[in-house]
mmCIF file of all heavy atoms in Angstrom:
data_model
loop_
_atom_site.group_PDB
_atom_site.id
_atom_site.type_symbol
_atom_site.label_atom_id
_atom_site.label_comp_id
_atom_site.label_asym_id
_atom_site.label_seq_id
_atom_site.Cartn_x
_atom_site.Cartn_y
_atom_site.Cartn_z
ATOM 1 N N THR A 369 87.656 -49.078 -14.913
ATOM 2 C CA THR A 369 88.766 -49.884 -15.425
ATOM 3 C C THR A 369 88.426 -50.076 -16.856
ATOM 4 O O THR A 369 87.355 -49.662 -17.321
ATOM 5 C CB THR A 369 89.029 -51.191 -14.738
ATOM 6 O OG1 THR A 369 87.869 -51.965 -14.962
ATOM 7 C CG2 THR A 369 89.154 -50.997 -13.180
ATOM 8 N N GLY A 370 89.392 -50.694 -17.545
ATOM 9 C CA GLY A 370 89.084 -51.077 -18.986
ATOM 10 C C GLY A 370 88.066 -52.252 -19.055
ATOM 11 O O GLY A 370 87.474 -52.338 -20.046
ATOM 12 N N ASP A 371 87.679 -52.780 -18.033
ATOM 13 C CA ASP A 371 86.669 -53.879 -17.930
ATOM 14 C C ASP A 371 85.322 -53.283 -17.585
ATOM 15 O O ASP A 371 84.333 -54.122 -17.666
ATOM 16 C CB ASP A 371 87.050 -54.955 -16.944
ATOM 17 C CG ASP A 371 88.307 -55.671 -17.431
ATOM 18 O OD1 ASP A 371 88.554 -55.838 -18.649
ATOM 19 O OD2 ASP A 371 89.165 -56.037 -16.505
ATOM 20 N N GLY A 372 85.182 -52.081 -17.052
ATOM 21 C CA GLY A 372 83.878 -51.522 -16.775
ATOM 22 C C GLY A 372 84.051 -50.721 -15.461
ATOM 23 O O GLY A 372 84.981 -50.122 -15.198
ATOM 24 N N LEU A 373 82.865 -50.669 -14.754
ATOM 25 C CA LEU A 373 82.727 -49.884 -13.512
ATOM 26 C C LEU A 373 82.380 -50.809 -12.384
ATOM 27 O O LEU A 373 81.711 -51.747 -12.483
ATOM 28 C CB LEU A 373 81.611 -48.844 -13.645
ATOM 29 C CG LEU A 373 81.627 -47.880 -14.854
ATOM 30 C CD1 LEU A 373 80.284 -47.149 -14.863
ATOM 31 C CD2 LEU A 373 82.710 -46.993 -14.706
ATOM 32 N N MET A 374 83.047 -50.466 -11.188
ATOM 33 C CA MET A 374 82.533 -50.943 -9.873
ATOM 34 C C MET A 374 82.306 -49.824 -8.934
ATOM 35 O O MET A 374 83.068 -48.887 -9.073
ATOM 36 C CB MET A 374 83.627 -51.940 -9.277
ATOM 37 C CG MET A 374 83.871 -53.197 -10.030
ATOM 38 S SD MET A 374 84.957 -54.312 -9.127
ATOM 39 C CE MET A 374 86.116 -53.438 -8.361
ATOM 40 N N GLY A 375 81.262 -49.911 -8.255
ATOM 41 C CA GLY A 375 80.983 -48.796 -7.295
ATOM 42 C C GLY A 375 80.300 -49.321 -6.092
ATOM 43 O O GLY A 375 79.909 -50.436 -5.862
ATOM 44 N N GLN A 376 80.203 -48.347 -5.090
ATOM 45 C CA GLN A 376 79.400 -48.589 -3.827
ATOM 46 C C GLN A 376 78.805 -47.257 -3.326
ATOM 47 O O GLN A 376 79.428 -46.143 -3.571
ATOM 48 C CB GLN A 376 80.484 -49.085 -2.758
ATOM 49 C CG GLN A 376 79.609 -49.356 -1.492
ATOM 50 C CD GLN A 376 80.455 -50.215 -0.548
ATOM 51 O OE1 GLN A 376 81.677 -50.169 -0.626
ATOM 52 N NE2 GLN A 376 79.842 -50.702 0.472
ATOM 53 N N LEU A 377 77.615 -47.385 -2.910
ATOM 54 C CA LEU A 377 76.868 -46.243 -2.357
ATOM 55 C C LEU A 377 77.092 -46.292 -0.771
ATOM 56 O O LEU A 377 77.058 -47.309 -0.113
ATOM 57 C CB LEU A 377 75.358 -46.365 -2.650
ATOM 58 C CG LEU A 377 74.896 -46.588 -3.970
ATOM 59 C CD1 LEU A 377 73.481 -46.650 -4.067
ATOM 60 C CD2 LEU A 377 75.464 -45.414 -4.947
ATOM 61 N N LEU A 378 77.389 -45.062 -0.233
ATOM 62 C CA LEU A 378 77.415 -44.900 1.217
ATOM 63 C C LEU A 378 76.501 -43.750 1.729
ATOM 64 O O LEU A 378 76.580 -42.745 1.045
ATOM 65 C CB LEU A 378 78.893 -44.596 1.587
ATOM 66 C CG LEU A 378 80.017 -45.571 1.232
ATOM 67 C CD1 LEU A 378 81.289 -45.144 1.330
ATOM 68 C CD2 LEU A 378 79.700 -46.845 1.940
ATOM 69 N N PRO A 379 75.782 -44.011 2.623
ATOM 70 C CA PRO A 379 75.478 -45.152 3.415
ATOM 71 C C PRO A 379 74.971 -46.236 2.432
ATOM 72 O O PRO A 379 74.306 -46.045 1.527
ATOM 73 C CB PRO A 379 74.557 -44.801 4.492
ATOM 74 C CG PRO A 379 73.865 -43.597 4.039
ATOM 75 C CD PRO A 379 74.715 -42.993 3.057
ATOM 76 N N PRO A 380 75.386 -47.549 2.863
ATOM 77 C CA PRO A 380 74.863 -48.768 1.977
ATOM 78 C C PRO A 380 73.477 -48.704 1.920
ATOM 79 O O PRO A 380 72.778 -48.599 2.904
ATOM 80 C CB PRO A 380 75.502 -49.901 2.679
ATOM 81 C CG PRO A 380 76.467 -49.458 3.553
ATOM 82 C CD PRO A 380 76.192 -48.073 3.950
ATOM 83 N N GLN A 381 72.936 -48.847 0.690
ATOM 84 C CA GLN A 381 71.514 -48.973 0.348
ATOM 85 C C GLN A 381 71.269 -49.552 -1.011
ATOM 86 O O GLN A 381 72.152 -49.449 -1.907
ATOM 87 C CB GLN A 381 70.924 -47.619 0.605
ATOM 88 C CG GLN A 381 71.504 -46.610 -0.433
ATOM 89 C CD GLN A 381 71.124 -45.220 -0.132
ATOM 90 O OE1 GLN A 381 69.841 -44.927 -0.387
ATOM 91 N NE2 GLN A 381 71.839 -44.373 0.365
ATOM 92 N N THR A 382 70.156 -50.168 -1.248
ATOM 93 C CA THR A 382 69.732 -50.648 -2.599
ATOM 94 C C THR A 382 69.379 -49.401 -3.470
ATOM 95 O O THR A 382 68.862 -48.342 -2.866
ATOM 96 C CB THR A 382 68.589 -51.534 -2.541
ATOM 97 O OG1 THR A 382 67.448 -50.910 -2.022
ATOM 98 C CG2 THR A 382 68.954 -52.830 -1.728
ATOM 99 N N ALA A 383 69.700 -49.543 -4.778
ATOM 100 C CA ALA A 383 69.287 -48.430 -5.625
ATOM 101 C C ALA A 383 69.241 -49.037 -7.015
ATOM 102 O O ALA A 383 69.882 -49.930 -7.365
ATOM 103 C CB ALA A 383 70.243 -47.283 -5.513
ATOM 104 N N SER A 384 68.373 -48.348 -7.890
ATOM 105 C CA SER A 384 68.438 -48.545 -9.378
ATOM 106 C C SER A 384 69.449 -47.598 -9.981
ATOM 107 O O SER A 384 69.396 -46.379 -9.666
ATOM 108 C CB SER A 384 67.009 -48.333 -9.988
ATOM 109 O OG SER A 384 67.103 -48.423 -11.306
ATOM 110 N N ILE A 385 70.409 -48.070 -10.816
ATOM 111 C CA ILE A 385 71.408 -47.225 -11.340
ATOM 112 C C ILE A 385 71.458 -47.319 -12.944
ATOM 113 O O ILE A 385 71.293 -48.492 -13.519
ATOM 114 C CB ILE A 385 72.774 -47.551 -10.767
ATOM 115 C CG1 ILE A 385 72.643 -47.389 -9.271
ATOM 116 C CG2 ILE A 385 73.851 -46.798 -11.297
ATOM 117 C CD1 ILE A 385 73.916 -48.093 -8.608
ATOM 118 N N GLU A 386 71.564 -46.207 -13.555
ATOM 119 C CA GLU A 386 71.797 -46.274 -15.030
ATOM 120 C C GLU A 386 73.044 -45.588 -15.258
ATOM 121 O O GLU A 386 73.440 -44.539 -14.776
ATOM 122 C CB GLU A 386 70.626 -45.538 -15.748
ATOM 123 C CG GLU A 386 69.210 -46.140 -15.542
ATOM 124 C CD GLU A 386 68.197 -45.139 -16.043
ATOM 125 O OE1 GLU A 386 67.860 -44.313 -15.319
ATOM 126 O OE2 GLU A 386 67.785 -45.272 -17.179
ATOM 127 N N VAL A 387 73.934 -46.228 -16.174
ATOM 128 C CA VAL A 387 74.998 -45.546 -16.675
ATOM 129 C C VAL A 387 74.698 -44.871 -18.011
ATOM 130 O O VAL A 387 74.341 -45.578 -18.930
ATOM 131 C CB VAL A 387 76.221 -46.614 -16.963
ATOM 132 C CG1 VAL A 387 77.465 -45.963 -17.446
ATOM 133 C CG2 VAL A 387 76.544 -47.488 -15.725
ATOM 134 N N LEU A 388 74.823 -43.561 -17.937
ATOM 135 C CA LEU A 388 74.484 -42.767 -19.136
ATOM 136 C C LEU A 388 75.624 -42.581 -20.051
ATOM 137 O O LEU A 388 76.720 -42.150 -19.582
ATOM 138 C CB LEU A 388 73.896 -41.402 -18.652
ATOM 139 C CG LEU A 388 72.780 -41.391 -17.585
ATOM 140 C CD1 LEU A 388 72.501 -40.006 -17.104
ATOM 141 C CD2 LEU A 388 71.555 -42.136 -18.115
ATOM 142 N N HIS A 389 75.442 -42.761 -21.290
ATOM 143 C CA HIS A 389 76.411 -42.634 -22.335
ATOM 144 C C HIS A 389 75.807 -41.672 -23.344
ATOM 145 O O HIS A 389 75.148 -42.172 -24.249
ATOM 146 C CB HIS A 389 76.766 -43.860 -23.022
ATOM 147 C CG HIS A 389 77.274 -45.072 -22.154
ATOM 148 N ND1 HIS A 389 78.558 -45.111 -21.738
ATOM 149 C CD2 HIS A 389 76.609 -45.951 -21.605
ATOM 150 C CE1 HIS A 389 78.680 -46.081 -21.018
ATOM 151 N NE2 HIS A 389 77.446 -46.692 -20.879
ATOM 152 N N GLY A 390 76.209 -40.370 -23.132
ATOM 153 C CA GLY A 390 75.476 -39.435 -24.098
ATOM 154 C C GLY A 390 74.007 -39.424 -23.842
ATOM 155 O O GLY A 390 73.569 -39.556 -22.641
ATOM 156 N N PRO A 391 73.143 -39.408 -24.822
ATOM 157 C CA PRO A 391 71.787 -39.387 -24.520
ATOM 158 C C PRO A 391 71.272 -40.778 -24.135
ATOM 159 O O PRO A 391 69.998 -40.912 -23.788
ATOM 160 C CB PRO A 391 71.089 -38.792 -25.755
ATOM 161 C CG PRO A 391 72.148 -39.136 -26.764
ATOM 162 C CD PRO A 391 73.399 -39.151 -26.195
ATOM 163 N N ARG A 392 71.932 -41.898 -24.417
ATOM 164 C CA ARG A 392 71.510 -43.125 -24.205
ATOM 165 C C ARG A 392 71.773 -43.641 -22.742
ATOM 166 O O ARG A 392 72.987 -43.555 -22.278
ATOM 167 C CB ARG A 392 72.185 -44.120 -25.084
ATOM 168 C CG ARG A 392 71.639 -43.775 -26.536
ATOM 169 C CD ARG A 392 72.295 -44.852 -27.579
ATOM 170 N NE ARG A 392 73.767 -44.747 -27.587
ATOM 171 C CZ ARG A 392 74.518 -43.842 -28.221
ATOM 172 N NH1 ARG A 392 73.898 -42.802 -28.942
ATOM 173 N NH2 ARG A 392 75.824 -43.831 -28.235
ATOM 174 N N ALA A 393 70.827 -44.305 -22.151
ATOM 175 C CA ALA A 393 71.122 -44.915 -20.725
ATOM 176 C C ALA A 393 71.379 -46.366 -21.210
ATOM 177 O O ALA A 393 70.848 -47.050 -22.005
ATOM 178 C CB ALA A 393 69.809 -44.892 -19.986
ATOM 179 N N GLY A 394 72.397 -46.874 -20.385
ATOM 180 C CA GLY A 394 72.812 -48.307 -20.437
ATOM 181 C C GLY A 394 71.801 -49.182 -19.858
ATOM 182 O O GLY A 394 70.752 -48.794 -19.324
ATOM 183 N N ALA A 395 72.032 -50.414 -19.702
ATOM 184 C CA ALA A 395 71.300 -51.430 -19.095
ATOM 185 C C ALA A 395 71.133 -51.031 -17.584
ATOM 186 O O ALA A 395 72.046 -50.582 -17.008
ATOM 187 C CB ALA A 395 71.806 -52.805 -19.314
ATOM 188 N N PRO A 396 69.909 -51.153 -17.064
ATOM 189 C CA PRO A 396 69.790 -50.705 -15.691
ATOM 190 C C PRO A 396 70.556 -51.709 -14.793
ATOM 191 O O PRO A 396 70.613 -52.872 -15.003
ATOM 192 C CB PRO A 396 68.347 -50.873 -15.342
ATOM 193 C CG PRO A 396 67.702 -51.626 -16.547
ATOM 194 C CD PRO A 396 68.721 -51.546 -17.665
ATOM 195 N N LEU A 397 71.213 -51.097 -13.727
ATOM 196 C CA LEU A 397 71.994 -51.842 -12.769
ATOM 197 C C LEU A 397 71.167 -51.774 -11.350
ATOM 198 O O LEU A 397 70.395 -50.877 -11.212
ATOM 199 C CB LEU A 397 73.438 -51.277 -12.615
ATOM 200 C CG LEU A 397 74.238 -51.017 -13.832
ATOM 201 C CD1 LEU A 397 75.430 -50.276 -13.448
ATOM 202 C CD2 LEU A 397 74.535 -52.344 -14.439
ATOM 203 N N THR A 398 71.460 -52.743 -10.562
ATOM 204 C CA THR A 398 70.928 -52.633 -9.200
ATOM 205 C C THR A 398 72.047 -52.684 -8.207
ATOM 206 O O THR A 398 72.980 -53.599 -8.166
ATOM 207 C CB THR A 398 69.979 -53.838 -8.983
ATOM 208 O OG1 THR A 398 69.032 -53.826 -9.947
ATOM 209 C CG2 THR A 398 69.340 -53.776 -7.662
ATOM 210 N N ALA A 399 72.035 -51.674 -7.206
ATOM 211 C CA ALA A 399 73.010 -51.788 -6.101
ATOM 212 C C ALA A 399 72.322 -52.702 -5.142
ATOM 213 O O ALA A 399 71.181 -52.686 -4.817
ATOM 214 C CB ALA A 399 73.197 -50.407 -5.537
ATOM 215 N N ASP A 400 73.139 -53.634 -4.557
ATOM 216 C CA ASP A 400 72.584 -54.560 -3.570
ATOM 217 C C ASP A 400 72.538 -53.947 -2.178
ATOM 218 O O ASP A 400 72.603 -52.622 -2.048
ATOM 219 C CB ASP A 400 73.588 -55.784 -3.539
ATOM 220 C CG ASP A 400 75.035 -55.584 -2.964
ATOM 221 O OD1 ASP A 400 75.260 -54.392 -2.446
ATOM 222 O OD2 ASP A 400 75.842 -56.353 -3.128
ATOM 223 N N ALA A 401 72.199 -54.700 -1.193
ATOM 224 C CA ALA A 401 71.883 -54.070 0.148
ATOM 225 C C ALA A 401 73.130 -53.412 0.758
ATOM 226 O O ALA A 401 73.053 -52.631 1.585
ATOM 227 C CB ALA A 401 71.337 -55.197 1.098
ATOM 228 N N LEU A 402 74.296 -53.880 0.359
ATOM 229 C CA LEU A 402 75.443 -53.158 0.735
ATOM 230 C C LEU A 402 75.932 -51.998 -0.116
ATOM 231 O O LEU A 402 76.900 -51.375 0.024
ATOM 232 C CB LEU A 402 76.662 -54.196 0.784
ATOM 233 C CG LEU A 402 76.444 -55.334 1.802
ATOM 234 C CD1 LEU A 402 77.630 -56.353 1.641
ATOM 235 C CD2 LEU A 402 76.504 -54.775 3.126
ATOM 236 N N GLY A 403 75.051 -51.710 -1.114
ATOM 237 C CA GLY A 403 75.252 -50.517 -1.886
ATOM 238 C C GLY A 403 76.294 -50.765 -3.130
ATOM 239 O O GLY A 403 76.717 -49.828 -3.778
ATOM 240 N N ARG A 404 76.689 -52.063 -3.344
ATOM 241 C CA ARG A 404 77.627 -52.410 -4.421
ATOM 242 C C ARG A 404 76.859 -52.612 -5.722
ATOM 243 O O ARG A 404 75.861 -53.137 -5.823
ATOM 244 C CB ARG A 404 78.374 -53.622 -3.977
ATOM 245 C CG ARG A 404 79.121 -53.489 -2.715
ATOM 246 C CD ARG A 404 79.839 -54.794 -2.307
ATOM 247 N NE ARG A 404 78.591 -55.806 -2.149
ATOM 248 C CZ ARG A 404 78.838 -57.001 -1.641
ATOM 249 N NH1 ARG A 404 79.984 -57.412 -1.247
ATOM 250 N NH2 ARG A 404 77.715 -57.848 -1.563
ATOM 251 N N PHE A 405 77.543 -52.155 -6.835
ATOM 252 C CA PHE A 405 77.153 -52.319 -8.207
ATOM 253 C C PHE A 405 78.347 -52.394 -9.082
ATOM 254 O O PHE A 405 79.385 -51.996 -8.892
ATOM 255 C CB PHE A 405 76.175 -51.166 -8.548
ATOM 256 C CG PHE A 405 76.921 -49.900 -8.612
ATOM 257 C CD1 PHE A 405 77.443 -49.381 -9.819
ATOM 258 C CD2 PHE A 405 76.975 -49.100 -7.492
ATOM 259 C CE1 PHE A 405 78.033 -48.142 -9.904
ATOM 260 C CE2 PHE A 405 77.558 -47.810 -7.600
ATOM 261 C CZ PHE A 405 78.014 -47.376 -8.756
ATOM 262 N N THR A 406 77.997 -53.194 -10.249
ATOM 263 C CA THR A 406 79.146 -53.262 -11.275
ATOM 264 C C THR A 406 78.351 -53.164 -12.659
ATOM 265 O O THR A 406 77.295 -53.351 -12.880
ATOM 266 C CB THR A 406 79.785 -54.716 -11.181
ATOM 267 O OG1 THR A 406 78.775 -55.758 -11.452
ATOM 268 C CG2 THR A 406 80.577 -54.871 -9.898
ATOM 269 N N CYS A 407 79.248 -52.797 -13.626
ATOM 270 C CA CYS A 407 78.892 -52.664 -14.952
ATOM 271 C C CYS A 407 80.033 -53.256 -15.744
ATOM 272 O O CYS A 407 81.088 -52.739 -15.777
ATOM 273 C CB CYS A 407 78.614 -51.125 -15.351
ATOM 274 S SG CYS A 407 78.245 -50.981 -17.133
ATOM 275 N N ASP A 408 79.707 -54.359 -16.505
ATOM 276 C CA ASP A 408 80.837 -55.039 -17.236
ATOM 277 C C ASP A 408 81.234 -54.208 -18.465
ATOM 278 O O ASP A 408 82.324 -54.508 -18.997
ATOM 279 C CB ASP A 408 80.421 -56.386 -17.702
ATOM 280 C CG ASP A 408 80.093 -57.316 -16.498
ATOM 281 O OD1 ASP A 408 80.757 -57.053 -15.366
ATOM 282 O OD2 ASP A 408 79.217 -58.219 -16.581
ATOM 283 N N ARG A 409 80.449 -53.429 -19.058
ATOM 284 C CA ARG A 409 80.693 -52.712 -20.276
ATOM 285 C C ARG A 409 81.441 -51.458 -19.943
ATOM 286 O O ARG A 409 80.904 -50.523 -19.301
ATOM 287 C CB ARG A 409 79.408 -52.454 -21.076
ATOM 288 C CG ARG A 409 79.541 -52.416 -22.466
ATOM 289 C CD ARG A 409 78.215 -52.270 -23.139
ATOM 290 N NE ARG A 409 77.335 -51.303 -22.393
ATOM 291 C CZ ARG A 409 76.103 -51.270 -22.478
ATOM 292 N NH1 ARG A 409 75.467 -52.161 -23.175
ATOM 293 N NH2 ARG A 409 75.366 -50.379 -21.898
#
Side-chain angles (χ1 to χ4, degrees):
T369 67
D371 297 326
L373 306 172
M374 287 191 324
Q376 183 170 17
L377 307 178
L378 299 169
Q381 57 190 294
T382 60
S384 172
I385 302 169
E386 296 170 277
V387 180
L388 307 176
H389 302 278
R392 296 180 297 279
L397 310 173
T398 303
D400 64 15
L402 296 176
R404 300 174 300 188
F405 62 93
T406 61
C407 175
D408 295 333
R409 209 174 42 205

